[in-house]
Amino acid sequence: MSSVIKLKGKGLTRIIKSKVILSPLAGVTDKIFRKLVRRWAPDSLLFTEMINATSLKKGYGTGKIKQLELEEGPVGVQIFDNRPYAVSEAAKLAEDSGAFLIDINMGCPVKKISKKGGGSALIKDRLLAIELVKRVSKAVEIPITVKTRLGWDNKEENIEEFLLNLQDSGATMVTIHGRTRKEGFAGTADWEMIGKIKKLLEIPVIANGDIKNPKDALNCFNQTNADGLMIGRGILGSPWKIGEIDYAIKKQKGFKEPNIEERLLLIIEHLDELIKEKGDHGLLIARKHISWTCKNFSGATKLRNNLVRAIDAEEVKELINKTIESLKTDQKLLA
Ligand SMILES: Cc1cc2nc3c(=O)[nH]c(=O)nc-3n(C[C@H](O)[C@H](O)[C@H](O)COP(=O)(O)O)c2cc1C
C-alpha cells in the first residue's frame, strides 16, 4: 500500500505525506487549534471548520480562510452550501488564500443546514451534488473532495452509485463517516461498509468514525483497506493524537505523549493565543478546550471545575501553575 495519498486535481496533483487527517470540526479546528495539532503532525492534512459559501461571498467568515499559505503544512477548506455558483466563488477565494484542496460537505446532519439543502441533504439531491462537484472542479485548479455519510435514512440507498457519480464528476477523494444521517453519532461506525466502497472506487477513500487511538486506527485500516483515516472527536483535548496515530501506523516507535504538566502548560499556551486573537471572548472558547484537556489524572475533575469558572485568564494561569507545583511536590507528574 502506498505511504502517501495522491490527489489528481484538474490543474495539479497534490500529495499528502501522511495517511492521518484532521476532521473539519465546527467551533474547534480554527487556525490556533490547527497550529497546536501541527506541532505533532507536520505532514497531515488539517481541515478548517466548515464554512458557508454564501456567507463567505458576502464577506462573513473570511478570517477562517485567511493566509492559509502561511501555515506550515497542507490545509483543506471545507465548504457547505447548496448553491453551485456560491460554492464555486467561495472555492476560488479559498484557493487564492492558499487552500491545499476544497472539500464539499455532504454529510452534516444538523437540521439548520440540511433543511436549506446543504450538508447531508445532498445525499438525497444527487443531481445537485453532482452539479456542485462539476462546477467547483471547473472553477479551481486544486483538487475537490467530498465528505459524506453512508446514507440519509438507511444504508439501502445505493450510496455506492452516488459516490461513483461523484468520482466521475471530478471528486478526487472521498471521506466516508460510517454512519447514516439518521444515525447521527449513535451506535458504531460501519467500517465494513466503508471497506466495500473502497473496493469500488478508483479515487482515494478516507475512513472516518470512531477512530480514537492507534489501536482503532490499525483495526480500521485492516477492515477497510482505506487510503487514509480521518480523526474527529479523538483530537478533542489531545492535539497530539493525529501525530500519535501517524507514528503508530508508520510503525515508528517512541512517540512521546505530553505528560500532565505539559498538557496543563498547553492549556495556558492555547488560552494566550486565543486571547491575543479574540480578546476576552478567547476565554469562552478556551473553556471547552479546558474541559476536554483537563481529564484523566488525579484531581482533574476538581481542577476542571475551577478552571471553567475562572473569571479571567490570569486566574486560569494561577490555578494551573499552583496545580503543577503541587503535582511536582507529590511527584504525580506521570510520564
Ligand atoms: C464538534 C464537532 C464539530 C464537527 N464539525 C464538522 C464540520 O464542520 N464538518 C464536517 O464535515 N463534519 C463535522 N463534524 C463531524 C466530524 O468531522 C466527523 O465526521 C465525526 O465526528 C465522526 O468522526 P469521529 O468519530 O472521529 O469523531 C463535527 C463533529 C463534531 C463532534
Side-chain angles (χ1 to χ4, degrees), residues 11-269:
L12 72 177
T13 299
R14 293 285 214 201
I15 306 280
I16 311 171
K17 289 191 241 150
S18 162
K19 290 177 159 283
V20 192
I21 298 173
L22 171 68
S23 272
L25 295 170
V28 179
T29 54
D30 57 17
K31 150 178 107 171
I32 298 172
F33 188 72
R34 290 197 303 270
K35 196 172 159 195
L36 291 182
V37 173
R38 181 67 77 201
R39 187 171 302 163
W40 289 275
D43 298 328
S44 284
L45 172 66
L46 311 183
F47 270 101
T48 61
E49 309 165 71
M50 61 179 169
I51 303 171
N52 180 254
T54 305
S55 303
L56 198 65
K57 244 171 60 75
K58 289 182 185 158
Y60 303 111
T62 49
K64 290 184 179 164
I65 58 162
K66 213 168 131 197
Q67 297 185 318
L68 300 174
E69 76 277 3
L70 298 184
E71 295 194 26
E72 281 174 12
V75 181
V77 171
Q78 194 194 51
I79 297 176
F80 74 96
D81 212 297
N82 64 341
R83 299 174 184 87
Y85 178 69
V87 180
S88 301
E89 293 270 295
K92 190 81 194 83
L93 288 174
E95 179 178 53
D96 292 344
S97 225
F100 185 83
L101 57 79
I102 302 294
D103 186 77
I104 306 178
N105 183 323
M106 299 194 187
C108 180
V110 173
K111 272 215 183 94
K112 206 170 75 183
I113 290 170
S114 60
K115 251 183 12 204
K116 289 188 187 158
S120 56
L122 289 162
I123 300 175
K124 286 195 300 181
D125 196 344
R126 298 188 172 187
L127 288 177
L128 178 59
I130 289 167
E131 170 76 2
L132 277 171
V133 171
K134 282 188 177 160
R135 290 275 291 271
V136 185
S137 302
K138 267 198 195 139
V140 295
E141 300 293 313
I142 54 179
I144 305 305
T145 65
V146 168
K147 179 167 178 284
T148 189
R149 287 179 171 241
L150 289 175
W152 172 259
D153 273 338
N154 61 63
K155 293 177 193 166
E156 315 302 322
E157 297 164 6
N158 204 351
I159 200 77
E160 294 88 341
E161 185 190 49
F162 176 56
L163 295 171
L164 283 166
N165 286 334
L166 294 180
Q167 172 179 276
D168 291 345
S169 310
T172 66
M173 174 174 94
V174 63
T175 301
I176 303 162
H177 178 186
R179 292 181 172 88
T180 61
R181 186 270 332 172
K182 194 177 177 185
E183 286 172 313
F185 283 90
T188 45
D190 186 345
W191 294 343
E192 198 185 323
M193 191 155 166
I194 297 178
K196 283 187 189 148
I197 292 168
K198 160 65 195 156
K199 282 194 191 136
L200 280 178
L201 297 184
E202 284 164 28
I203 54 175
V205 170
I206 308 301
N208 171 238
D210 299 346
I211 307 162
K212 295 176 292 302
N213 52 45
K215 192 167 159 239
D216 295 339
L218 292 168
N219 285 340
C220 185
F221 264 131
N222 286 339
Q223 258 191 58
T224 60
N225 198 27
D227 300 278
L229 306 176
M230 181 179 274
I231 316 298
R233 288 164 295 173
I235 200 75
L236 303 179
S238 313
W240 57 88
K241 203 50 83 179
I242 303 275
E244 184 185 346
I245 293 174
D246 194 38
Y247 240 69
I249 63 171
K250 285 179 178 155
K251 307 222 176 325
Q252 291 171 318
K253 292 219 171 5
F255 181 84
K256 200 178 157 296
E257 233 187 318
N259 65 22
I260 299 167
E261 179 180 10
E262 287 161 344
R263 289 177 205 193
L264 292 174
L265 289 174
L266 215 52
I267 292 180
I268 295 186
E269 181 185 345

